[in-house]
Amino acid sequence: MNVELPLIAVIAIFGYFGIKIMRPPTWLIVVLLLGGFLLADTFLAPAIESGTEVGVDVVNGTTK
């Protein structure tokens, strides 16, 4: 049996349980969501993307 979920559903599930478990303040959630949305189309987006990729590589141990 193979279950396929859209990525947004998986992110929503992890976000929901993360908020329930960690109990961050509401203002922090709003700032992170709004900030990410607003920065997505700026000149900072490539730097954020490359920094995220490097961080993932470091965590996974696949640095070049």
Side-chain angles (χ1 to χ4, degrees):
M1 183 172 161
N2 191 6
V3 177
E4 294 184 20
L5 286 175
L7 180 60
I8 191 69
V10 174
I11 292 172
I13 291 168
F14 276 108
Y16 175 78
F17 285 112
I19 290 170
K20 287 292 184 185
I21 292 170
M22 294 177 53
R23 300 272 187 204
T26 305
W27 65 266
L28 181 60
I29 296 168
V30 171
V31 166
L32 290 174
L33 289 174
L34 187 59
F37 178 76
L38 293 175
L39 287 175
D41 289 331
T42 66
F43 67 94
L44 293 173
I48 294 170
E49 183 177 359
S50 67
T52 303
E53 289 174 2
V54 169
V56 169
D57 286 342
V58 168
V59 170
N60 290 340
T62 57
T63 56
K64 298 176 183 173

